[in-house]
Amino acid sequence: MGSLKIENVKKAFGPVEVLKGIDLEVTDGEFVVFVGPSGCGKSTLLRVIAGLEDSTSGRVLIDGTDVSVTPPAKRGIAMVFQTYALYPHLTVKNNMALGLKQAGTPAAEIERRIKIASAMLSLEPYIERRPAELSGGQRQRVAIGRAVVREPKLFLFDEPLSNLDAALRVNTRLEIAQLHRRLKATMIYVTHDQVEAMTLADKIVVLNAGRIEQIGSPMELYNSPANEFVAGFIGSPKMNFVDGARLGETAKTIGVRPEHVTVDANSGAWKGTVVHAEHLGADTNLYLDCEKAGLITVRIFGVYNAETGATLYATPDAAKTYRFGPDGKVLK
Amino acid sequence: MSTATRSLPRAIGAHAILLTYTAIALFPVILVVMNSFKSRVGIFGAPLTPPTPKTFDLIGYTTVIGQGDFIHYFQNSLVVTVASLFFVLLFGAMAAFALSEYRFRGNTMMGLYLALGIMIPIRLGTVAILQLMVATGLVNTLTALILVYTAQGLPLAIFILSEFMKQVSSDLKNAGRIDGLSEYTIFFRLVLPLVRPSMATVAVFTMIPIWNDLWFPLILAPSEETKTVTLGAQLFLGQFVTNWNAILAALSLAILPVLILYVIFSRQLIRGITSGAVK
Ligand SMILES: Nc1ncnc2c1ncn2[C@@H]1O[C@H](COP(=O)(O)OP(=O)(O)OP(=O)(O)O)[C@@H](O)[C@H]1O
Ligand SMILES: [Mg+2]
């Protein structure tokens, strides 16, 4: 239970096509993350899966059954929203109970599930409070609790952490990871934070302008991106792209990640001047303006002292350089 | 406001301006109420002075109440105002929800059509309305007034409420849908409580013109049975002699019910004005 299949789903708002044919398969118990730039259709795809939006064409199957005409409440899904979306007039407990009451679950069973969920998410101290009396982090945990008590086949998260501050985000991320391990449920998670994507996902789906660019495990995407878009999107700082012609290469574009470039004061492939240096403690990001390659980023592990304006030589690791064709695809 | 952000001269200045404005706004009202407690001689002799033991007289009130039907007129006004208000708020909110929430063909056209009523005064259609009421046998019934006032109040109500409904978080409505709430439950239990302040605003704007209206009661329901307060007060405006005591007393009494309704809504209204400013 808990598998999802999407077949050639398209969605248009009037003349604007937002999803341009999405095919995707999610197996039971998988944690799948949708990433992509803002406006690429991640939320729309999630809403189509939830049944909050009708697809223009294509099919959505949950556990092998076509749910195109099934209302959201009957699809066996639960959703956590970016803005929490708690019912303002209900207590934490009733917020969690409402969906179950609507489905006609016996009171004792509701009580039992709320107990388990609130213990799991440490919600007990404020179970009788209203959402207005909770902090942002607590509210989001209640929203997650409301999803958990439904015991859905499919959890849908739409950027659940983006309204939280950095420290809380890390904590809640851990909690979601633990939740997934404990419940072994299928989860679909939308984010544009790639740290969240890399740390949580079994499988990442990279979306761009309504199309899937690549599907794969975090390491697959990092090590063998299918195209320039994925290469640039996964990894931080972003991969350096250099015009092939400037380097005398046959490929249209050459890509190398900042962590796969080494610098030396005396000799190397690309001579450049330091434009800016960012010292993060654990590592240092240097921005070099190179004669041959243009502006590139270099990530050095540990502390590296470089003056702005100093001359340095950068050398890309040849084994970890990517070559892209004119269509943006990786050349083998 | 904390003491740190308060400054005495500015507070005095602000209060001076507000007090002046209040005085100007209240002056006519106070004049009416004040003179309603005076004798005829007192009213004409010194209209601007408050009642003294010599000029104090309740003759106006006794005339009005002695008229007997006046309580009935009040009842009529109250029934018409409250019923119209109820329908305007109910249908206005429902239409606003549909217009702001659902995408359907002709949505924009429908919104424009409904907003058109704000610009075209309903009184232009008086003749047609009268013909309609005669044809349906509704002349001289309160129903006629309620129907007309509902139609009159709806455009502005829909226009204002749909703006506010658009601001209600769509995530919240979607959460309700996933929890299996019907569209009606979402509307009544989730959306309406959140737009309550704007409902109060609409209620006040709708209520006052209805209560004060003379035109439609005069045309559609002038019978003794269905007279409203404003129409009833005309009784004392004679062609040759006007009973000022009675008129002023009737007007003073007519202020009361609106005042009570206003107090009921005003707590919400203040929240409506400040909502968004303080989250
Ligand atoms: N109701 C709607 N009517 C018309 N266009 C819409 C509607 N909802 C979304 N869109 C458009 O669809 C596109 C995709 O929107 P979507 O919300 O799925 O983006 P997203 O990938 O979730 O972006 P973000 O990361 O900013 O949340 C956007 O260009 C948006 O303008
Ligand atoms: Mg989104």
Side-chain angles (χ1 to χ4, degrees), chain B residues 28-61:
Chain B
V29 179
I30 290 172
L31 205 63
V32 167
V33 174
M34 215 165 65
N35 282 308
S36 72
F37 288 104
K38 296 200 306 204
S39 64
R40 192 176 171 79
V41 178
I43 295 174
F44 285 103
L48 292 182
T49 51
T52 60
K54 232 177 91 188
T55 55
F56 181 81
D57 199 340
L58 286 177
I59 177 74
Y61 289 92

Side-chain angles (χ1 to χ4, degrees), chain B residues 205-235:
Chain B
F205 283 135
T206 312
M207 166 181 86
I208 292 171
I210 296 178
W211 181 268
N212 289 338
D213 192 36
L214 178 61
W215 182 263
F216 284 114
L218 190 62
I219 292 167
L220 297 180
S223 78
E224 196 52 36
E225 271 304 290
T226 53
K227 260 188 194 153
T228 59
V229 171
T230 23
L231 189 54
Q234 305 302 309
L235 193 72

Side-chain angles (χ1 to χ4, degrees), chain A residues 13 52-53 72-73 77 79 81-83 85-89 98-99 102 146 150, chain B residues 103 169-182 185 189-190 193-194:
Chain A
F13 291 108
L52 296 169
E53 204 86 70
I77 52 145
M79 192 156 172
F81 298 88
Q82 179 178 354
T83 56
L86 299 176
Y87 308 120
H89 61 297
L98 186 66
Q102 288 291 327
R146 183 172 65 181
R150 293 176 60 91
Chain B
R103 283 191 300 270
S169 143
S170 60
D171 281 358
L172 185 66
K173 290 174 270 192
N174 285 337
R177 290 190 182 114
I178 286 180
D179 274 342
L181 302 182
S182 70
T185 322
R189 303 294 297 281
L190 296 182
L194 289 176

Side-chain angles (χ1 to χ4, degrees), chain A residues 42-43 82 158-159 190:
Chain A
K42 307 180 293 286
S43 301
Q82 179 178 354
D158 193 354
E159 307 198 29
V190 168

Side-chain angles (χ1 to χ4, degrees), chain B residues 212-271:
Chain B
N212 289 338
D213 192 36
L214 178 61
W215 182 263
F216 284 114
L218 190 62
I219 292 167
L220 297 180
S223 78
E224 196 52 36
E225 271 304 290
T226 53
K227 260 188 194 153
T228 59
V229 171
T230 23
L231 189 54
Q234 305 302 309
L235 193 72
F236 306 111
L237 274 176
Q239 195 177 354
F240 305 108
V241 250
T242 295
N243 187 344
W244 283 107
N245 298 82
I247 288 198
L248 293 176
L251 289 179
S252 302
L253 286 175
I255 295 172
L256 282 180
V258 220
L259 204 64
I260 292 168
L261 282 179
Y262 183 80
V263 168
I264 294 173
F265 292 126
S266 68
R267 275 190 50 205
Q268 307 287 337
L269 188 67
I270 289 163
R271 287 217 343 241

Side-chain angles (χ1 to χ4, degrees), chain B residues 53-76:
Chain B
K54 232 177 91 188
T55 55
F56 181 81
D57 199 340
L58 286 177
I59 177 74
Y61 289 92
T62 44
T63 318
V64 168
I65 292 165
Q67 203 70 30
D69 287 341
F70 234 78
I71 308 290
H72 189 63
Y73 299 162
F74 260 98
Q75 238 173 29
N76 286 342

